[in-house]
Amino acid sequence: MSLSLASFGNIILIFSSVLFCLSAIFALTGLSQIRFEKVSRALTLSGAIAGTVSILVLAMLLLTHDYRVQYVSHNADRTMDTLFLITAVWGGQQGSLLFWAVIQSWFAVAASYFTIKKLNHLARPVIALMSLFTLFFTLLVFTNSNPFTLSGHDLINGSGMNPLLRNPYMVFHPPTLFIGFAGFSVPAAFALGWLLKGNKDDRWLYSIRPFILFAFAFLTIGNVLGMVWAYEELGWGGFWGWDPVENASLIPWITGAALVHSSMAQTRANVLKTWNIFLIAATFILVIFGTFLTRSNIIQSVHAFSGATTAPYFLGFIAALVAGFIAVSIIKRDLLKSETEIEFFTKEWFFESTNWLFTAAAVFVWTATMWPLFHSIFNDQQLSVPPEFFNTWMIPIGITLLFFLALCTVIPWKNRKEQKSMISKTFAGGVILTIIIVTGFIYNSDTLVIMPTFSKYASLFSVAVLSFLAFTLLLSIRKSLISKNRVKLGGQIVHLGILIMFIGFTGGGFKSENRQSLAPGDFFMAGEYKVTFMGLRSDVNYKREAIYGDLIYSNSEGESKIVSPARFFYHSMPNQPTSEVAIEGGLFKDLFFILGETDLDTGHGVIEVIINPLIFFIWLGAIVMITGILIAAYKDGFLITALNFEESSFFTKKINIVSIVFSIILVTAGYLFAAAPGLIGGLIIVLLFLMFYIIYKQIRINNF
């Protein structure tokens, strides 16, 4: 039964690829027949359902511990909880690529049905391109990265998922990233479709802005969840180590942020058309490049997939995208000419300046990330770029960007006289407030006296700029509240969130670390805190062996508390211990306790205490920023009302009756075959029925 289930997963994956291939063919060849558009949409929807069935089949194989399937034996074991078995669907190399393919397929569905109500003249090229994008992923999964491949061995147990991934944040971190990645394929398809059609109507960018905001929101959430995971799981006291794979998701986020701003300038002032095409292309290409980097074996990273052989295919995809965008942009260059000249020191000028700064940041991170590879090609010795190098350059670039973004929000559109007046008032008020705050900061900061010269001036500069930004943002938020401009208010809240995050980043300049090797009863001072080592204790269960280091820490006021950082050794992977840190969080600082090397015979242990000031503001700023994105996106019913599924004609009374019947089957299966596998099995049946019904309905309507 299990072997046939794996074979069924392969068959349904092939079926999904065929449906998307047919969808692209119908969209490309239906030059004058509207019904071909409808068929293409139905095929796209059917292909997405088929892909969803394949991912559910993989979940079934993991939940039933079918270790004859190679992917299951490498990513699951019998000690893993149901939640982490489901997480294993996207926790491994092959499963994550299949998961991405399925998300990509649903974005193809969303884009195709979006064109019913809006931008119908772009329907065929968009459906064709989105189908081809999805086809690339499904074929790559089937031919090169197949999670349904059999191992040839009937194993009793598997090796299990990497212990570092057995964390609640990893349940959501990869899916949100993949949603963001796949989401940026939609503006890429519309941009290429608009250029290919040669239509001078610029409304397409305004119409697809919800897709851009949706993708950017999920990419932001994914990156933030990755930061939280790194902070709690990797055990080094930081949240962003400028690891190559971390940077691979940051670089498209930077260009995506530029696109969010630059697209607004085109829709409001009809400028920056070339910039927007460039940023759309760059963001999607960088998404694919990041995937290539993660699966290429050319970089060393805790996040990378080892043994992947998909790199040449992603390079080919990147080459095709680059060539396609360049060729079409050159041929249709007349479409990209702006009708309005950008004057110096206007709102449009500030928008263009932020584009240059965003691009500079992306180019810098990309170059510094790839520099060790370039160096190793021409030199025998290995080179690494330390995090301090990134921080030295990115912090001033980021603060300068914030400065320009703040002015973009407060300066009005078009009215040149009003723009000059607002700039003057903003500068005058902002400078006065900044001088007051910086002066107070200097006279009340004991830490500033003992800081190195560079850090001292960097902190003062950060405080000055952040004070000025706070003033300008409060001015613009007040104006938006009065005018009840929800979209503008959302953008300003995003900027406020980034400002709050930068307050947290500034706290890194005041970070302190203390590491000691202690015997039971020893103590040491970490800042104002006295940390006493009480000793080691061990604990063993069916999953892992744990070693805890019990500590008592007390502050200058005599208040004390017990914490117990630990190291876990999972039975399935005993050579990959995880550091289970103890974090005592507060509004203005976190106390971060780490247990290092231990000796159970002598009771000695290495204890590290890190004091992280203002970390809370990073997480608070991220929440505010994401909230602002959603507020800005929530316009005209957001995105879902623009998707017209009525045309597919399968939401009928018959389908409702059949859905009830199959729901009963689903519940019965769950009762008979254990909850999780049974529910998934019932869901597979329902989805298969819907898929075949859609195909049957189109054949009958169109008399094929």
Side-chain angles (χ1 to χ4, degrees), residues 209-256:
R209 187 169 165 79
F211 280 108
I212 296 172
L213 291 172
F214 186 81
F216 183 67
F218 272 90
L219 189 54
T220 303
I221 294 168
N223 277 318
V224 170
L225 288 174
M227 291 165 63
V228 179
W229 169 79
Y231 187 62
E232 292 194 0
E233 187 63 35
L234 297 185
W236 58 282
F239 50 84
W240 195 273
W242 296 104
D243 177 274
V245 175
E246 293 176 350
N247 295 345
S249 63
L250 174 66
I251 301 171
W253 183 90
I254 294 172
T255 56

Side-chain angles (χ1 to χ4, degrees), residues 7-27:
S7 300
F8 174 69
N10 267 323
I11 292 169
I12 204 69
L13 187 58
I14 296 171
F15 193 52
S16 178
S17 299
V18 170
L19 289 171
F20 277 105
C21 182
L22 290 173
S23 174
I25 291 171
F26 273 90

Side-chain angles (χ1 to χ4, degrees), residues 97-170:
L97 202 57
L98 174 61
F99 189 77
W100 187 346
V102 172
I103 294 173
Q104 180 67 46
S105 70
W106 284 106
F107 272 106
V109 172
S112 65
Y113 281 90
F114 181 83
T115 58
I116 296 174
K117 284 188 175 181
K118 296 184 178 182
L119 306 176
N120 186 257
H121 62 287
L122 300 180
R124 293 193 185 96
V126 167
I127 294 172
L129 286 165
M130 290 299 293
S131 296
L132 290 173
F133 292 162
T134 309
L135 182 62
F136 167 79
F137 281 99
T138 56
L139 286 178
L140 184 60
V141 170
F142 178 73
T143 59
N144 190 269
S145 189
N146 195 321
F148 302 112
T149 302
L150 301 177
S151 64
H153 305 286
D154 191 3
L155 302 175
I156 299 174
N157 201 359
S159 56
M161 191 166 60
N162 188 325
L164 290 174
L165 304 182
R166 303 184 194 188
N167 180 290
Y169 291 108
M170 292 307 293

Side-chain angles (χ1 to χ4, degrees), residues 478-523:
R478 175 181 174 273
K479 188 176 179 181
S480 294
L481 288 171
I482 293 172
S483 63
K484 297 181 180 180
N485 189 328
R486 185 171 58 193
V487 175
K488 191 174 182 180
L489 177 63
Q492 290 156 354
I493 291 175
V494 171
H495 294 162
L496 179 62
I498 296 174
L499 170 65
I500 295 171
M501 290 186 75
F502 263 83
I503 293 173
F505 297 151
T506 303
F510 304 92
K511 180 179 179 179
S512 66
E513 303 180 33
N514 201 319
R515 182 182 175 92
Q516 301 285 339
S517 178
L518 304 173
D522 290 349
F523 69 90

Side-chain angles (χ1 to χ4, degrees), residues 77-81 540-545 570-572:
D77 66 60
R78 296 189 182 277
T79 67
M80 289 170 59
D81 298 331
V540 180
N541 62 24
Y542 71 98
K543 295 180 185 178
R544 63 5 173 217
E545 177 183 354
Y570 286 87
H571 300 313
S572 57

